[in-house]
Amino acid sequence: MVKAVLFDFRDTLVDVSKAMEEQTKFLFNYCAKRTATNFSFYEFKEHSRQARVAICTRFGKNQYIHNWPLLINKHLLDSLGVNVEGKDFENLMNDLDKVFVENVLLFPDSVTILDFLKSNGIKMGVIIDGTAKREKAIITKLDLHKYLSVIIISEEVGKNKFSSLPLETALNKLGLLHSEVVVVGDRIDKDILPANKLGCYSVRLIRGNGRYSEQVSDNIKERPKKTISKLSEIAEFV
């Protein structure tokens, strides 16, 4: 019997596509004023993509990083020759976080399933990779506290979701049998693998345009118990 559902955050409950686009526009305008090199917004987006690839390649599945955007943006600025250090860099990152928080949205099917689960007495929680300040601001902005019994943010537990610690912490707070908990996420490595490892019922969400929809694995340990294309499908098996 399902007694709780634990959700991944970005690309699962929360739509960050607009937020990321607005962040990129903000940073593009910031950099355009501080470099003699002319580049288009399209070229800037390509520089951003390359910076993300470089950081992900360099740090791999490091379990102790909670602010990936900070590392990516620092690499991007350096690659463009935009020198921003100390307090100025801190202020810029804070401004980017504000832009991000202002533009995050809930997916329409998130509201549907959250209301359904709440009305049926199912406990809910989120497991988030990120900084406490930014993620708590998003939760407040989207008024998610009314649904959530458990909120786990990687910065607060010390390791990110490349480890099992965030999920373990959430399960301990719930105090339920692991088999009574459904874990829903879009990533094989960060969501499905830890859920399977700890004996939860793993559900992979594959949205048509999801950032990780093309992730594949032949490892049976990374195979979800169920795959869905929209969150409302959870109502069929809880």
Side-chain angles (χ1 to χ4, degrees), residues 133-149:
K133 181 180 178 181
R134 181 177 62 233
E135 307 314 322
K136 288 178 179 178
I138 294 172
I139 289 169
T140 298
K141 189 248 186 184
L142 297 176
D143 194 25
L144 290 174
H145 287 285
K146 62 186 179 185
Y147 296 110
L148 303 175
S149 301

Side-chain angles (χ1 to χ4, degrees), residues 118-166:
K118 183 178 180 180
S119 67
N120 283 274
I122 305 294
K123 291 183 178 181
M124 290 172 280
V126 288
I127 305 174
I128 313 170
D129 270 352
T131 63
K133 181 180 178 181
R134 181 177 62 233
E135 307 314 322
K136 288 178 179 178
I138 294 172
I139 289 169
T140 298
K141 189 248 186 184
L142 297 176
D143 194 25
L144 290 174
H145 287 285
K146 62 186 179 185
Y147 296 110
L148 303 175
S149 301
V150 174
I151 299 170
I152 301 299
I153 301 171
S154 67
E155 185 180 55
E156 294 186 324
V157 299
K159 285 187 177 182
N160 62 38
K161 290 166 61 179
F162 282 128
S163 77
S164 297
L165 182 59

Side-chain angles (χ1 to χ4, degrees), residues 26-27 55 68 83 105 127 132 135 138 142 147 158 176 194 196:
F26 184 96
L27 195 54
I55 291 300
W68 291 93
N83 185 30
L105 301 166
I127 305 174
E135 307 314 322
I138 294 172
L142 297 176
Y147 296 110
L176 299 171
N196 288 345

Side-chain angles (χ1 to χ4, degrees), residues 3 19 44 78 82 125 143 170 177 194 220:
K3 294 185 178 180
F44 182 78
D78 290 344
V82 180
D143 194 25
L177 296 175
I220 193 171

